[in-house]
Amino acid sequence: ASGVYAGNKVSSNTRAFLEFSDDSNTNTVTAVGNVLLSAYDAAMITAKASLLSTAGSTSDIGGGFNLSDSAAIGISGMVVRNDVHSDALATIDHALVNADGVALSALEYATITAHVESTATASGGSAFGTGTVIAGGGAIAVNLILNGAHASIVHSDITTMAGAISVVASNTSTIDATVQVAANSGDSAGAVTLAFNTIGWESQALLTQTLDAILGGPLAQDVFGLENSSDVKAFIQDSK
C-alpha cells in the first residue's frame, strides 16, 4: 500500500496606487502626459503528482503459476490540494490630478494547472483459482482560486487636458485539471475519484466538498454560507 499528500499554496497581492490621507491642496499631482496606474497579478501553480502501487507474489513452480493461495493486495491513495489567494488593486484616493489623461487598470489572471495520476496493480492467486488478489486506487484533487480585481477613483478631483479617464478591472482566472485513477487485477479491482475545482469559494471541509460533488451543485456550500465571489470592480466614487 502507498499514499501521498501534496499541497501547494500561493498568496499574492499587487497594488498600484496614488493615495493620500485627506483632501489637502498639497495632494496635487501634475503630469505632462498621462497618469497610468496598472496592477497585474498572475499567481500560478503548475503541479503534477503520480503514484504507483504494485503488489505481486512469487511463482511457486515457475512460469508465473502458483500452487499456494499467493494473495496479493495493492492499494494506492493520494490527496492533492492546490490553493491560490490573490488580488490586484489600482486606486487613486484623495488626490488632485492634472494630466493629459488618466488610466487605471487592475488585471487578475490566476491559474492552476494540475495533473494527478494514481495507479494500483495486483497479481497473484493460485492456479486453482484460490487466493485473494485485490487492487484498489483512489485520488482526491482539490483546486481552489479565491481572488479579485478592483480599480477605483475615490474622493479625488481629476482634470484631464486632452485624454479621457479610464478605469478598468478584469479577472480571467482559470483552472485546468486532469485526474486519472486506474486499478488492475486478475481478480477484484476498484477505483474512486473525487475532484473539486472552485473559483470564488472559501476553503472548506472535505465532507462538504464531497456532498457537492455527489449532489452536482453548491448545495452544501449554500447551506454553510461559504461563497466568497472572485469579484471584479471598476468605479469612480465621490470624485469629479
Side-chain angles (χ1 to χ4, degrees):
S2 57
V4 169
Y5 170 78
N8 303 292
K9 292 186 177 182
V10 172
S11 178
S12 66
N13 298 280
T14 304
R15 300 283 188 270
F17 56 90
L18 179 59
E19 189 173 70
F20 299 91
S21 58
D22 55 36
D23 295 318
S24 170
N25 289 331
T26 60
N27 299 344
T28 301
V29 176
T30 301
V32 180
N34 296 321
V35 173
L36 306 176
L37 279 78
S38 180
Y40 176 72
D41 185 274
M44 177 186 301
I45 292 178
T46 300
K48 182 177 181 179
S50 301
L51 177 64
L52 172 64
S53 178
T54 303
S57 58
T58 304
S59 175
D60 292 335
I61 57 177
F65 296 100
N66 297 300
L67 296 178
S68 60
D69 288 347
S70 301
I73 300 176
I75 304 294
S76 69
M78 64 191 311
V79 177
V80 177
R81 181 183 179 89
N82 299 305
D83 193 339
V84 174
H85 284 61
S86 61
D87 62 80
L89 172 65
T91 184
I92 294 177
D93 189 0
H94 286 94
L96 305 176
V97 180
N98 298 294
D100 286 348
V102 175
L104 278 73
S105 62
L107 309 176
E108 179 63 46
Y109 182 57
T111 60
I112 294 177
T113 303
H115 181 88
V116 176
E117 185 175 351
S118 177
T119 304
T121 62
S123 60
S126 75
F128 304 105
T130 60
T132 300
V133 182
I134 298 175
I140 299 174
V142 180
N143 300 296
L144 179 149
I145 293 177
L146 190 60
N147 61 0
H150 301 158
S152 64
I153 297 175
V154 295
H155 306 298
S156 297
D157 188 342
I158 310 296
T159 301
T160 59
M161 306 302 179
I165 298 175
S166 173
V167 182
V168 177
S170 175
N171 187 342
T172 55
S173 299
T174 60
I175 296 176
D176 183 359
T178 302
V179 181
Q180 297 176 329
V181 178
N184 303 300
S185 168
D187 189 2
S188 299
V192 176
T193 302
L194 294 175
F196 312 99
N197 301 304
T198 60
I199 297 178
W201 295 92
E202 290 282 6
S203 300
Q204 56 205 268
L206 182 60
L207 175 60
T208 305
Q209 292 174 318
T210 302
L211 288 174
D212 284 338
I214 294 173
L215 297 175
L219 177 60
Q221 295 170 327
D222 290 342
V223 171
F224 293 105
L226 296 171
E227 183 177 7
N228 191 347
S229 299
S230 290
D231 56 355
V232 177
K233 296 180 180 178
F235 59 92
I236 299 174
Q237 179 178 317
D238 297 329
S239 299
K240 59 183 180 177

